[in-house]
Amino acid sequence: MQIIKDNFSNNLLEIVNKYAKYQKVMVVYDNSVNNANLLQIYELIGANCVFNKLNMTIEDYSELNNGYKLLIFLCEADSFINFEFDVGEFINVFIPTDNAVLPFFLKGNNFLFLQNKKPDVAIFSSVIFNKVFSFINALIEQTWCEVNFNDLKFITQDALIDLLNKNNLNFIDLTILKQCKIPYNLLPELDFILINAILTLVSSISTNSLGLVDFYKSVKENCGLIDKYYALITNNVLNEVVKLNFSYLLSILREATNKLKIINVNNKNFNKIIKNLKNYLKNCNNFLIYLYLYDIFGY
């Protein structure tokens, strides 16, 4: 990902001339953008390309299949996260209209214009959670991955982008966020809830104080889920992993929760997040399903 922090107009025109001169270019925008914003981009690049625009929140995406070379995304994080179209075959220019970086950064070899100097704090919490998730997942798969939080020191835009460059993570929390229809600005709260729930689960396993959700009641007549839960209970790899690695795992989780204290999460949204999260956990195919199975959030 090439990060661009200044000379936006010159850089955008240069990108269009290099990759899509006299070819089809689409500005994909959302409702955070007004006509004046679109006119400004048209006046800048319109003479050098075949210009078009598409409102990603209300319009059909099929037009994007008609020979476009370059897409310019002018939108907020939530609109982009929910944009159901594969942009991998295009040259993409991302111009967030909020301070989000993470959803755009993960799209790889493209261009990201950072007009907002405010740091995207969700990067900080997301890296913490996904380090924890990757470590536990590796233990379950009987592999090993090193985990430390030494690179999590500062919350500035430059430091957070550097953090993304240093960590090759899957960012499962963004998938959860999308499936649960949770706004992107609540990603730190989601990460906080999940890490603390995992800590509770690990502690409960170590003290043999787990309780099971009433899954016959919760899944009703879904025989597939009942069979799945029964298989998880009878062949509980997570329990063995936790008991064999409890001290180290506990220290990692405690360090993770301490790091999260740097961010001011707002607990007024916790109940709504947890309600949506439980629907994801109930059906997921990773170890987080144990948070539901062992009733960590309560049925």
Side-chain angles (χ1 to χ4, degrees):
M1 178 68 71
Q2 184 172 334
I3 306 293
I4 297 169
K5 296 184 179 181
D6 50 28
N7 298 321
F8 300 114
S9 296
N10 290 342
N11 277 293
L12 182 58
L13 183 58
E14 182 179 330
I15 291 167
V16 170
N17 285 337
K18 182 176 180 179
Y19 294 100
K21 192 168 186 178
Y22 306 134
Q23 298 186 63
K24 298 177 79 170
V25 173
M26 178 73 83
V27 176
V28 184
Y29 67 98
D30 68 3
N31 294 331
S32 67
V33 175
N34 57 40
N35 288 333
N37 302 137
L38 295 171
L39 180 61
Q40 185 179 21
I41 293 180
Y42 174 76
E43 290 177 343
L44 177 65
I45 67 171
N48 297 64
C49 65
V50 180
F51 181 93
N52 203 351
K53 56 186 174 65
L54 181 148
N55 188 326
M56 65 199 302
T57 62
I58 62 173
E59 295 182 31
D60 184 359
Y61 305 156
S62 60
E63 172 62 22
L64 294 175
N65 294 313
N66 292 330
Y68 287 86
K69 178 71 173 180
L70 186 147
L71 304 182
I72 300 170
F73 285 89
L74 191 64
C75 61
E76 296 177 325
D78 287 318
S79 298
F80 184 70
I81 289 170
N82 292 299
F83 184 65
E84 299 288 353
F85 191 88
D86 183 7
V87 301
E89 66 181 85
F90 304 96
I91 305 296
N92 297 287
V93 176
F94 303 121
I95 309 176
T97 56
D98 52 17
N99 66 307
V101 171
L102 181 60
F104 303 98
F105 186 93
L106 297 180
K107 290 301 177 180
N109 297 321
N110 295 289
F111 301 90
L112 176 58
F113 285 45
L114 296 183
Q115 302 181 99
N116 194 326
K117 303 298 183 183
K118 186 178 179 182
D120 180 2
V121 296
I123 295 171
F124 193 84
S125 67
S126 187
V127 168
I128 292 173
F129 169 74
N130 286 288
K131 282 188 175 192
V132 169
F133 182 90
S134 295
F135 176 70
I136 297 176
N137 209 47
L139 289 178
I140 291 171
E141 294 175 355
Q142 298 183 353
T143 58
W144 183 265
C145 69
E146 293 295 328
V147 58
N148 67 71
F149 304 103
N150 296 333
D151 52 354
L152 291 147
K153 295 178 180 178
F154 307 106
I155 300 183
T156 65
Q157 192 177 76
D158 288 342
L160 293 174
I161 291 171
D162 187 51
L163 193 62
L164 289 176
N165 284 320
K166 288 179 178 177
N167 289 276
N168 183 22
L169 298 166
N170 288 328
F171 293 95
I172 183 68
D173 55 340
L174 275 182
T175 300
I176 298 170
L177 184 95
K178 180 177 180 177
Q179 291 188 19
C180 295
K181 302 187 184 306
I182 297 169
Y184 178 73
N185 69 303
L186 297 181
L187 185 58
E189 281 80 358
L190 174 64
D191 293 327
F192 180 89
I193 288 168
L194 284 169
I195 289 174
N196 279 278
I198 293 170
L199 178 57
T200 300
L201 176 63
V202 167
S203 299
S204 297
I205 290 173
S206 72
T207 58
N208 296 311
S209 57
L210 290 171
L212 277 175
V213 69
D214 185 350
F215 53 81
Y216 288 103
K217 181 179 179 181
S218 66
V219 303
K220 297 184 169 52
E221 297 180 359
N222 189 328
C223 296
L225 274 182
I226 292 174
D227 290 344
K228 179 179 180 178
Y229 294 160
Y230 181 75
L232 289 169
I233 294 167
T234 55
N235 183 25
N236 198 330
V237 178
L238 183 66
N239 278 27
E240 297 304 315
V241 164
V242 169
K243 289 176 179 179
L244 287 171
N245 302 276
F246 176 69
S247 296
Y248 187 45
L249 189 51
L250 185 64
S251 68
I252 287 172
L253 287 165
R254 284 177 173 170
E255 187 177 0
T257 56
N258 284 332
K259 285 288 184 182
L260 281 174
K261 291 177 181 177
I262 298 175
I263 302 174
N264 293 319
V265 296
N266 190 338
N267 62 11
K268 74 176 184 180
N269 296 299
F270 279 10
N271 288 338
K272 183 178 180 180
I273 292 172
I274 289 170
K275 181 180 178 180
N276 292 348
L277 177 59
K278 284 194 288 187
N279 288 327
Y280 166 82
L281 298 174
K282 185 176 181 178
N283 299 282
C284 72
N285 292 311
N286 56 59
F287 75 85
L288 295 177
I289 195 172
Y290 289 104
L291 298 177
Y292 180 83
L293 187 59
Y294 290 122
D295 207 22
I296 298 301
F297 295 113
Y299 174 69

